[in-house]
Amino acid sequence: MELGLHTSMVIPIRARGITMGVATFFRSQGDESFTEDDLRLAEEFVARAAVCMDNARRYTREREAALALQRSLLPQSSPEQDAVRVASAYRPANELGDVGGDWFDVIALSGARVALVVGDVTGHGIDAVATMGRLRTAVQTLAALDLRPEELLAHLDDVVGRVVREERDDSRPGPGTRGSSCLYAVYDPVRRTCTMASAGHPAPAVVAPDHTVGFVELPVGPRLGVGGLPFESFELAVPEGSVLALYTDGLLSGSASGLGGHSGKERLQRALAAPGLTLDGLCAHVIDGLVSTQPQDDVALLLAETRALDADRCAFWDLPADPAIVAEARADAAGQLELWGLEELAFTTELVVSELVTNAIRYATGPIQLRLILGQSLICEVSDGSSTSPYLRHPRTTDEGGRGLFLISQFTERWGTRYTTGGKVLWTEQALTAAAS
């Protein structure tokens, strides 16, 4: 042969019943021919290499599946709402670090408010991703109940504790639910305040309109499933145009070049203070500046630029507990709709106002307030000082009453009850497309 090769061995690379290729060995002129000992040694060597190759192939396939599941479980778009503009980024860990359970969410709430959520599941791999999906679903379900941030985290902690107990009773290795962290924040564009609570999660940063950056002095509660101290909420005023930065701890431990000598918070503070960038540009600037392309831990970043509803898009009236005020409340609501050019919604709105105000006067206590908000939909709210909530009944044809909430549920898109520290708020939403059509 031209290359001087005179002896060869061809050995299949097989592992777990799968042939992944062949390994070929040659000897050139001047060398002795292969012997049976050489063949046995080569087969042993190839068998060990085949197991390593198969392990790498299986690990790569599992990691790609976990990463695909992770991305599918993260929000693909932001819900339509008037409270914030959002930008987000997620960067998975490198091949050695495996996929984690970092996640975020944006949830539209009643009263034109919005919930901003970020969490970090303990552990890595597809089990952590599955746990992340369960926690995100639980948060969305609890958010639909309009709970305060500290109450939501308390219920979420109960859910995690129950899952941990089930895993312990079944003697199965847990997916890392215990010790997961979560930050839940609610921004109100009418009051321009943000209320938040943390379960072992880093406090968010706030970028003021003048580009100064500070961190919220948030009392951090125990991690989910650990138990112990109760969760506490913290409320702060947020000027319009501020940016709330929610993140996972991987952002503070990033190892991008040129960032040595400063703590994680200092690096984040400097990155967020960059002027002249759009919200998407600021998100890319922070994630690229603080995190390497192959980080050792997952990183999730959620930026929310706050908006405020103008005063002419919100109207409210304080009402005395007098049945005679119901007609005046209907007239005030109809007049406000005329100013907004929504006369087509006047009939339904008067029905809603009449029912909710009458219920508050008849069954509730304390101050009563009627509020109309013009956002993505027409929102009608009646607040009072009672914590007792009415419930929807399905009256029979012979019943003389009990149809109020049933009619409201038929004429409006959504309705519900939101509890406050001083009572409750009954709210309804009507689609503006009905008026446009």
Side-chain angles (χ1 to χ4, degrees):
M1 300 176 62
E2 295 182 0
L3 298 178
L5 305 177
H6 61 83
T7 306
S8 64
M9 291 188 301
V10 179
I11 302 173
I13 305 175
R14 293 177 56 84
R16 299 181 177 94
I18 299 175
T19 301
M20 295 174 287
V22 294
T24 307
F25 300 86
F26 298 96
R27 276 189 172 173
S28 60
Q29 294 179 355
D31 294 329
E32 296 181 358
S33 300
F34 287 120
T35 64
E36 290 295 330
D37 292 337
D38 295 328
L39 179 60
R40 285 192 294 269
L41 178 61
E43 288 176 341
E44 178 68 19
F45 175 78
V46 171
R48 293 177 179 271
V51 172
C52 295
M53 293 175 59
D54 186 65
N55 288 340
R57 181 179 61 85
R58 291 160 63 92
Y59 171 81
T60 301
R61 183 173 59 189
E62 180 178 339
R63 184 179 187 278
E64 290 176 352
L67 185 57
L69 179 61
Q70 169 87 325
R71 294 191 181 279
S72 67
L73 292 176
L74 291 175
Q76 306 302 312
S77 61
S78 175
E80 293 186 1
Q81 38 79 32
D82 296 293
V84 294
R85 290 177 53 247
V86 297
S88 60
Y90 169 74
R91 183 163 293 181
N94 57 28
E95 289 80 359
L96 298 179
D98 207 348
V99 179
D102 293 13
W103 61 282
F104 60 88
D105 209 348
V106 180
I107 307 171
L109 302 176
S110 64
R113 301 169 304 137
V114 66
L116 307 171
V117 197
V118 65
D120 186 359
V121 173
T122 304
H124 294 84
I126 199 166
D127 285 339
V129 176
T131 300
M132 178 270 287
R134 297 172 68 178
L135 290 182
R136 184 182 173 219
T137 301
V139 170
Q140 290 178 336
T141 303
L142 293 170
L145 301 177
D146 269 327
L147 300 174
R148 293 192 294 272
E150 72 277 13
E151 293 178 342
L152 184 141
L153 290 183
H155 285 286
L156 187 63
D157 183 62
D158 292 339
V159 172
V160 172
R162 184 165 57 250
V163 172
V164 171
R165 288 192 296 271
E166 291 174 355
E167 293 168 352
R168 187 185 303 117
D169 294 340
D170 294 343
S171 300
R172 292 182 290 109
T177 311
R178 182 183 178 89
S180 301
S181 66
C182 182
L183 175 71
Y184 186 82
V186 176
Y187 173 69
D188 188 339
V190 178
R191 298 175 58 234
R192 304 182 187 185
T193 60
C194 184
T195 306
M196 60 187 69
S198 170
H201 203 86
V206 180
V207 185
D210 60 357
H211 300 290
T212 58
V213 182
F215 289 88
V216 180
E217 296 181 0
L218 176 66
V220 179
R223 298 174 75 88
L224 297 175
V226 175
L229 298 176
F231 300 101
E232 299 181 37
S233 63
F234 180 79
E235 181 176 289
L236 72 156
V238 182
E240 181 180 6
S242 301
V243 176
L244 300 171
L246 286 69
Y247 52 89
T248 55
D249 54 6
L251 186 68
L252 301 182
S253 59
S255 56
S257 60
L259 297 176
H262 300 284
S263 66
K265 284 191 172 182
E266 290 175 337
R267 296 197 299 266
L268 177 58
Q269 197 169 18
R270 292 188 177 190
L272 288 172
L277 296 176
T278 64
L279 190 64
D280 290 328
L282 180 61
C283 186
H285 171 73
V286 172
I287 202 76
D288 292 337
L290 299 185
V291 184
S292 64
T293 56
Q294 297 290 327
Q296 297 181 356
D297 191 13
D298 283 32
V299 177
L301 173 65
L302 176 63
L303 300 184
E305 182 180 1
T306 60
R307 299 172 177 173
L309 288 179
D310 297 332
D312 58 357
R313 297 177 62 185
C314 181
F316 65 92
W317 300 268
D318 294 320
L319 307 176
D322 182 2
I325 203 65
V326 177
E328 183 178 338
R330 289 199 302 264
D332 291 338
Q336 186 63 49
L337 293 184
E338 185 177 355
L339 292 177
W340 286 339
L342 300 176
E343 295 88 347
E344 294 84 352
L345 299 179
F347 174 78
T348 302
T349 304
E350 289 185 35
L351 172 65
V352 170
V353 170
S354 179
E355 174 64 23
L356 297 186
V357 173
T358 300
N359 279 346
I361 294 174
R362 182 175 299 176
Y363 303 111
T365 59
I368 301 173
Q369 186 182 81
L370 167 65
R371 186 168 73 162
L372 294 179
I373 301 174
L374 179 59
Q376 295 289 331
S377 59
L378 176 63
I379 303 169
C380 177
E381 296 183 343
V382 173
S383 60
D384 57 60
S386 173
S387 59
T388 303
S389 175
Y391 61 93
L392 178 64
R393 294 193 297 172
H394 296 276
R396 295 166 298 191
T397 55
T398 56
D399 291 343
E400 296 182 0
R403 293 179 173 83
L405 286 181
F406 177 76
L407 292 176
I408 287 177
S409 68
Q410 299 300 307
F411 281 100
T412 61
E413 274 199 333
R414 297 197 307 156
W415 74 278
T417 304
R418 180 172 73 249
Y419 293 96
T420 64
T421 55
K424 68 176 183 298
V425 177
L426 280 170
W427 57 268
T428 65
E429 291 185 3
Q430 301 177 61
L432 300 181
T433 53
S437 61

Short mmCIF file of all heavy atoms in Angstrom, two decimals, residues 9-54:
data_model
loop_
_atom_site.label_atom_id
_atom_site.label_comp_id
_atom_site.label_asym_id
_atom_site.label_seq_id
_atom_site.Cartn_x
_atom_site.Cartn_y
_atom_site.Cartn_z
N MET A 9 -7.25 -3.69 11.95
CA MET A 9 -8.33 -4.27 12.76
C MET A 9 -9.53 -3.32 12.69
O MET A 9 -9.38 -2.10 12.89
CB MET A 9 -7.90 -4.43 14.22
CG MET A 9 -6.85 -5.48 14.47
SD MET A 9 -6.56 -5.77 16.26
CE MET A 9 -6.05 -4.13 16.79
N VAL A 10 -10.71 -3.85 12.42
CA VAL A 10 -11.95 -3.07 12.37
C VAL A 10 -12.86 -3.58 13.47
O VAL A 10 -13.29 -4.74 13.44
CB VAL A 10 -12.62 -3.17 10.99
CG1 VAL A 10 -13.91 -2.36 10.98
CG2 VAL A 10 -11.68 -2.70 9.89
N ILE A 11 -13.16 -2.70 14.46
CA ILE A 11 -13.93 -3.11 15.63
C ILE A 11 -15.15 -2.21 15.74
O ILE A 11 -15.03 -0.98 15.74
CB ILE A 11 -13.08 -2.99 16.91
CG1 ILE A 11 -11.83 -3.87 16.78
CG2 ILE A 11 -13.89 -3.39 18.15
CD1 ILE A 11 -10.86 -3.71 17.91
N PRO A 12 -16.36 -2.77 15.79
CA PRO A 12 -17.57 -1.95 15.92
C PRO A 12 -17.64 -1.28 17.30
O PRO A 12 -17.25 -1.86 18.31
CB PRO A 12 -18.71 -2.95 15.72
CG PRO A 12 -18.13 -4.26 16.12
CD PRO A 12 -16.67 -4.21 15.73
N ILE A 13 -18.12 -0.05 17.28
CA ILE A 13 -18.34 0.71 18.52
C ILE A 13 -19.79 0.49 18.94
O ILE A 13 -20.71 1.10 18.38
CB ILE A 13 -18.04 2.20 18.32
CG1 ILE A 13 -16.62 2.41 17.76
CG2 ILE A 13 -18.21 2.98 19.62
CD1 ILE A 13 -16.30 3.84 17.42
N ARG A 14 -20.00 -0.37 19.91
CA ARG A 14 -21.35 -0.76 20.32
C ARG A 14 -21.51 -0.57 21.83
O ARG A 14 -20.61 -0.83 22.61
CB ARG A 14 -21.63 -2.22 19.96
CG ARG A 14 -21.69 -2.49 18.45
CD ARG A 14 -21.89 -3.99 18.18
NE ARG A 14 -23.09 -4.49 18.85
CZ ARG A 14 -24.32 -4.40 18.34
NH1 ARG A 14 -24.51 -3.81 17.17
NH2 ARG A 14 -25.35 -4.91 19.00
N ALA A 15 -22.72 -0.09 22.18
CA ALA A 15 -23.06 0.05 23.60
C ALA A 15 -24.56 -0.06 23.74
O ALA A 15 -25.32 0.56 22.97
CB ALA A 15 -22.57 1.40 24.15
N ARG A 16 -25.01 -0.85 24.69
CA ARG A 16 -26.44 -1.04 24.96
C ARG A 16 -27.19 -1.47 23.70
O ARG A 16 -28.30 -0.99 23.43
CB ARG A 16 -27.04 0.21 25.56
CG ARG A 16 -26.42 0.61 26.90
CD ARG A 16 -27.08 1.86 27.48
NE ARG A 16 -26.52 2.17 28.78
CZ ARG A 16 -25.51 3.03 28.96
NH1 ARG A 16 -24.95 3.62 27.92
NH2 ARG A 16 -25.05 3.27 30.19
N GLY A 17 -26.56 -2.34 22.90
CA GLY A 17 -27.21 -2.88 21.72
C GLY A 17 -27.28 -1.95 20.53
O GLY A 17 -27.94 -2.26 19.54
N ILE A 18 -26.58 -0.80 20.59
CA ILE A 18 -26.61 0.17 19.50
C ILE A 18 -25.21 0.31 18.92
O ILE A 18 -24.23 0.46 19.66
CB ILE A 18 -27.11 1.54 19.98
CG1 ILE A 18 -28.54 1.42 20.54
CG2 ILE A 18 -27.07 2.57 18.86
CD1 ILE A 18 -29.05 2.71 21.14
N THR A 19 -25.12 0.23 17.59
CA THR A 19 -23.83 0.45 16.90
C THR A 19 -23.71 1.91 16.53
O THR A 19 -24.52 2.45 15.76
CB THR A 19 -23.74 -0.42 15.64
OG1 THR A 19 -23.88 -1.80 16.00
CG2 THR A 19 -22.40 -0.21 14.94
N MET A 20 -22.69 2.55 17.08
CA MET A 20 -22.51 3.99 16.84
C MET A 20 -21.43 4.27 15.81
O MET A 20 -21.22 5.43 15.43
CB MET A 20 -22.16 4.70 18.16
CG MET A 20 -23.29 4.65 19.18
SD MET A 20 -22.82 5.34 20.77
CE MET A 20 -21.74 4.02 21.36
N GLY A 21 -20.70 3.27 15.37
CA GLY A 21 -19.64 3.47 14.39
C GLY A 21 -18.64 2.35 14.45
O GLY A 21 -18.91 1.28 15.03
N VAL A 22 -17.48 2.55 13.85
CA VAL A 22 -16.42 1.56 13.87
C VAL A 22 -15.10 2.24 14.19
O VAL A 22 -14.91 3.43 13.91
CB VAL A 22 -16.30 0.81 12.52
CG1 VAL A 22 -17.54 -0.02 12.25
CG2 VAL A 22 -16.04 1.79 11.38
N ALA A 23 -14.21 1.51 14.82
CA ALA A 23 -12.85 1.97 15.10
C ALA A 23 -11.88 1.10 14.29
O ALA A 23 -11.98 -0.13 14.30
CB ALA A 23 -12.54 1.87 16.58
N THR A 24 -10.97 1.74 13.57
CA THR A 24 -10.03 1.03 12.69
C THR A 24 -8.61 1.27 13.17
O THR A 24 -8.22 2.42 13.44
CB THR A 24 -10.18 1.51 11.23
OG1 THR A 24 -11.57 1.40 10.85
CG2 THR A 24 -9.34 0.66 10.31
N PHE A 25 -7.84 0.20 13.29
CA PHE A 25 -6.45 0.28 13.72
C PHE A 25 -5.57 -0.26 12.58
O PHE A 25 -5.89 -1.29 11.96
CB PHE A 25 -6.21 -0.54 14.99
CG PHE A 25 -7.04 -0.10 16.16
CD1 PHE A 25 -8.34 -0.57 16.34
CD2 PHE A 25 -6.53 0.79 17.09
CE1 PHE A 25 -9.11 -0.17 17.41
CE2 PHE A 25 -7.29 1.20 18.18
CZ PHE A 25 -8.58 0.71 18.34
N PHE A 26 -4.43 0.41 12.33
CA PHE A 26 -3.50 0.00 11.26
C PHE A 26 -2.10 -0.12 11.82
O PHE A 26 -1.76 0.54 12.81
CB PHE A 26 -3.49 1.02 10.11
CG PHE A 26 -4.82 1.17 9.42
CD1 PHE A 26 -5.70 2.17 9.78
CD2 PHE A 26 -5.17 0.30 8.40
CE1 PHE A 26 -6.90 2.32 9.14
CE2 PHE A 26 -6.37 0.44 7.74
CZ PHE A 26 -7.25 1.46 8.11
N ARG A 27 -1.30 -0.95 11.13
CA ARG A 27 0.13 -0.99 11.38
C ARG A 27 0.86 -0.85 10.05
O ARG A 27 0.42 -1.40 9.03
CB ARG A 27 0.53 -2.30 12.06
CG ARG A 27 0.34 -2.24 13.57
CD ARG A 27 0.92 -3.43 14.29
NE ARG A 27 0.89 -3.23 15.73
CZ ARG A 27 1.19 -4.12 16.63
NH1 ARG A 27 1.56 -5.35 16.22
NH2 ARG A 27 1.16 -3.85 17.92
N SER A 28 1.96 -0.12 10.12
CA SER A 28 2.70 0.17 8.90
C SER A 28 3.89 -0.77 8.77
O SER A 28 4.14 -1.63 9.63
CB SER A 28 3.19 1.62 8.93
OG SER A 28 4.05 1.83 10.05
N GLN A 29 4.63 -0.62 7.66
CA GLN A 29 5.80 -1.46 7.42
C GLN A 29 6.83 -1.28 8.53
O GLN A 29 7.03 -0.19 9.05
CB GLN A 29 6.43 -1.08 6.08
CG GLN A 29 5.52 -1.41 4.89
CD GLN A 29 6.14 -1.01 3.57
OE1 GLN A 29 7.22 -0.40 3.55
NE2 GLN A 29 5.47 -1.37 2.48
N GLY A 30 7.46 -2.32 8.88
CA GLY A 30 8.44 -2.31 9.96
C GLY A 30 7.86 -2.71 11.29
O GLY A 30 8.60 -2.96 12.24
N ASP A 31 6.52 -2.72 11.39
CA ASP A 31 5.87 -3.16 12.63
C ASP A 31 5.36 -4.58 12.46
O ASP A 31 5.07 -5.03 11.35
CB ASP A 31 4.69 -2.24 12.98
CG ASP A 31 5.15 -0.84 13.32
OD1 ASP A 31 6.27 -0.70 13.84
OD2 ASP A 31 4.38 0.12 13.05
N GLU A 32 5.25 -5.26 13.57
CA GLU A 32 4.73 -6.62 13.53
C GLU A 32 3.23 -6.59 13.28
O GLU A 32 2.54 -5.62 13.55
CB GLU A 32 5.03 -7.32 14.85
CG GLU A 32 6.50 -7.51 15.16
CD GLU A 32 6.72 -8.23 16.47
OE1 GLU A 32 5.70 -8.52 17.14
OE2 GLU A 32 7.89 -8.47 16.82
N SER A 33 2.72 -7.65 12.79
CA SER A 33 1.29 -7.77 12.57
C SER A 33 0.56 -7.86 13.91
O SER A 33 1.13 -8.22 14.94
CB SER A 33 0.98 -9.01 11.73
OG SER A 33 1.63 -8.95 10.48
N PHE A 34 -0.77 -7.48 13.88
CA PHE A 34 -1.59 -7.56 15.09
C PHE A 34 -1.72 -9.01 15.53
O PHE A 34 -1.80 -9.94 14.71
CB PHE A 34 -2.99 -6.98 14.82
CG PHE A 34 -2.99 -5.48 14.70
CD1 PHE A 34 -3.44 -4.88 13.53
CD2 PHE A 34 -2.57 -4.68 15.75
CE1 PHE A 34 -3.45 -3.51 13.40
CE2 PHE A 34 -2.58 -3.30 15.63
CZ PHE A 34 -3.02 -2.71 14.46
N THR A 35 -1.76 -9.20 16.82
CA THR A 35 -1.94 -10.53 17.39
C THR A 35 -3.29 -10.61 18.09
O THR A 35 -4.03 -9.62 18.18
CB THR A 35 -0.81 -10.83 18.40
OG1 THR A 35 -0.93 -9.90 19.50
CG2 THR A 35 0.56 -10.69 17.77
N GLU A 36 -3.62 -11.78 18.61
CA GLU A 36 -4.88 -11.95 19.33
C GLU A 36 -4.91 -11.08 20.59
O GLU A 36 -5.96 -10.56 20.97
CB GLU A 36 -5.06 -13.42 19.71
CG GLU A 36 -5.33 -14.34 18.54
CD GLU A 36 -6.66 -14.03 17.88
OE1 GLU A 36 -7.59 -13.56 18.61
OE2 GLU A 36 -6.79 -14.23 16.66
N ASP A 37 -3.75 -10.91 21.23
CA ASP A 37 -3.70 -10.03 22.40
C ASP A 37 -4.01 -8.59 22.02
O ASP A 37 -4.71 -7.86 22.76
CB ASP A 37 -2.32 -10.11 23.06
CG ASP A 37 -2.06 -11.47 23.69
OD1 ASP A 37 -3.06 -12.16 24.00
OD2 ASP A 37 -0.88 -11.82 23.87
N ASP A 38 -3.47 -8.18 20.86
CA ASP A 38 -3.78 -6.82 20.39
C ASP A 38 -5.28 -6.67 20.13
O ASP A 38 -5.88 -5.62 20.44
CB ASP A 38 -3.01 -6.51 19.12
CG ASP A 38 -1.50 -6.46 19.35
OD1 ASP A 38 -1.10 -6.06 20.46
OD2 ASP A 38 -0.75 -6.83 18.44
N LEU A 39 -5.88 -7.69 19.58
CA LEU A 39 -7.32 -7.62 19.28
C LEU A 39 -8.13 -7.51 20.57
O LEU A 39 -9.08 -6.70 20.65
CB LEU A 39 -7.73 -8.85 18.48
CG LEU A 39 -9.21 -8.94 18.12
CD1 LEU A 39 -9.64 -7.74 17.28
CD2 LEU A 39 -9.51 -10.24 17.39
N ARG A 40 -7.79 -8.33 21.57
CA ARG A 40 -8.52 -8.26 22.83
C ARG A 40 -8.35 -6.90 23.50
O ARG A 40 -9.30 -6.34 24.06
CB ARG A 40 -8.06 -9.39 23.76
CG ARG A 40 -8.59 -10.76 23.35
CD ARG A 40 -8.34 -11.78 24.47
NE ARG A 40 -6.91 -12.01 24.64
CZ ARG A 40 -6.23 -12.96 24.00
NH1 ARG A 40 -6.86 -13.76 23.15
NH2 ARG A 40 -4.94 -13.13 24.22
N LEU A 41 -7.12 -6.37 23.46
CA LEU A 41 -6.89 -5.04 24.05
C LEU A 41 -7.68 -3.96 23.32
O LEU A 41 -8.28 -3.07 23.95
CB LEU A 41 -5.39 -4.72 24.00
CG LEU A 41 -4.99 -3.34 24.54
CD1 LEU A 41 -5.37 -3.21 26.03
CD2 LEU A 41 -3.49 -3.11 24.34
N ALA A 42 -7.72 -4.03 22.00
CA ALA A 42 -8.46 -3.04 21.22
C ALA A 42 -9.96 -3.14 21.50
O ALA A 42 -10.67 -2.13 21.61
CB ALA A 42 -8.17 -3.21 19.73
N GLU A 43 -10.46 -4.36 21.60
CA GLU A 43 -11.88 -4.54 21.88
C GLU A 43 -12.24 -3.97 23.25
O GLU A 43 -13.31 -3.34 23.43
CB GLU A 43 -12.25 -6.01 21.81
CG GLU A 43 -12.25 -6.57 20.39
CD GLU A 43 -12.53 -8.06 20.36
OE1 GLU A 43 -12.36 -8.70 21.43
OE2 GLU A 43 -12.91 -8.59 19.30
N GLU A 44 -11.36 -4.20 24.24
CA GLU A 44 -11.61 -3.64 25.58
C GLU A 44 -11.59 -2.12 25.54
O GLU A 44 -12.44 -1.45 26.15
CB GLU A 44 -10.56 -4.18 26.55
CG GLU A 44 -10.69 -3.64 27.97
CD GLU A 44 -11.94 -4.13 28.68
OE1 GLU A 44 -12.51 -5.15 28.24
OE2 GLU A 44 -12.33 -3.49 29.67
N PHE A 45 -10.63 -1.58 24.84
CA PHE A 45 -10.50 -0.13 24.74
C PHE A 45 -11.73 0.47 24.05
O PHE A 45 -12.30 1.48 24.50
CB PHE A 45 -9.22 0.22 23.96
CG PHE A 45 -9.05 1.68 23.69
CD1 PHE A 45 -8.61 2.55 24.66
CD2 PHE A 45 -9.33 2.19 22.42
CE1 PHE A 45 -8.47 3.90 24.40
CE2 PHE A 45 -9.19 3.53 22.15
CZ PHE A 45 -8.75 4.40 23.13
N VAL A 46 -12.17 -0.11 22.94
CA VAL A 46 -13.32 0.39 22.19
C VAL A 46 -14.60 0.24 23.01
O VAL A 46 -15.48 1.11 22.97
CB VAL A 46 -13.43 -0.33 20.84
CG1 VAL A 46 -14.74 0.02 20.14
CG2 VAL A 46 -12.25 0.03 19.94
N ALA A 47 -14.74 -0.85 23.76
CA ALA A 47 -15.93 -1.05 24.58
C ALA A 47 -16.06 0.03 25.64
O ALA A 47 -17.16 0.56 25.88
CB ALA A 47 -15.90 -2.43 25.22
N ARG A 48 -14.95 0.36 26.28
CA ARG A 48 -14.99 1.43 27.29
C ARG A 48 -15.30 2.78 26.64
O ARG A 48 -16.09 3.58 27.17
CB ARG A 48 -13.66 1.50 28.04
CG ARG A 48 -13.39 0.29 28.92
CD ARG A 48 -12.03 0.39 29.57
NE ARG A 48 -11.76 -0.75 30.43
CZ ARG A 48 -12.07 -0.82 31.72
NH1 ARG A 48 -12.68 0.21 32.30
NH2 ARG A 48 -11.79 -1.90 32.43
N ALA A 49 -14.68 3.05 25.50
CA ALA A 49 -14.96 4.30 24.79
C ALA A 49 -16.42 4.36 24.34
O ALA A 49 -17.05 5.42 24.36
CB ALA A 49 -14.02 4.45 23.60
N ALA A 50 -16.99 3.22 23.93
CA ALA A 50 -18.37 3.20 23.49
C ALA A 50 -19.33 3.56 24.61
O ALA A 50 -20.32 4.28 24.41
CB ALA A 50 -18.71 1.82 22.93
N VAL A 51 -19.06 3.06 25.83
CA VAL A 51 -19.91 3.40 26.97
C VAL A 51 -19.84 4.91 27.25
O VAL A 51 -20.87 5.56 27.50
CB VAL A 51 -19.49 2.60 28.21
CG1 VAL A 51 -20.24 3.08 29.45
CG2 VAL A 51 -19.74 1.12 27.99
N CYS A 52 -18.65 5.48 27.20
CA CYS A 52 -18.51 6.93 27.41
C CYS A 52 -19.25 7.72 26.33
O CYS A 52 -19.94 8.71 26.63
CB CYS A 52 -17.03 7.31 27.43
SG CYS A 52 -16.09 6.61 28.80
N MET A 53 -19.13 7.30 25.09
CA MET A 53 -19.82 7.99 24.00
C MET A 53 -21.34 7.88 24.16
O MET A 53 -22.07 8.85 23.94
CB MET A 53 -19.38 7.42 22.66
CG MET A 53 -17.93 7.70 22.30
SD MET A 53 -17.42 6.88 20.77
CE MET A 53 -18.59 7.57 19.60
N ASP A 54 -21.81 6.71 24.57
CA ASP A 54 -23.25 6.54 24.74
C ASP A 54 -23.77 7.37 25.90
O ASP A 54 -24.86 7.95 25.83
CB ASP A 54 -23.57 5.07 24.94
CG ASP A 54 -25.06 4.80 24.99
OD1 ASP A 54 -25.73 5.02 23.96
OD2 ASP A 54 -25.57 4.40 26.05
#
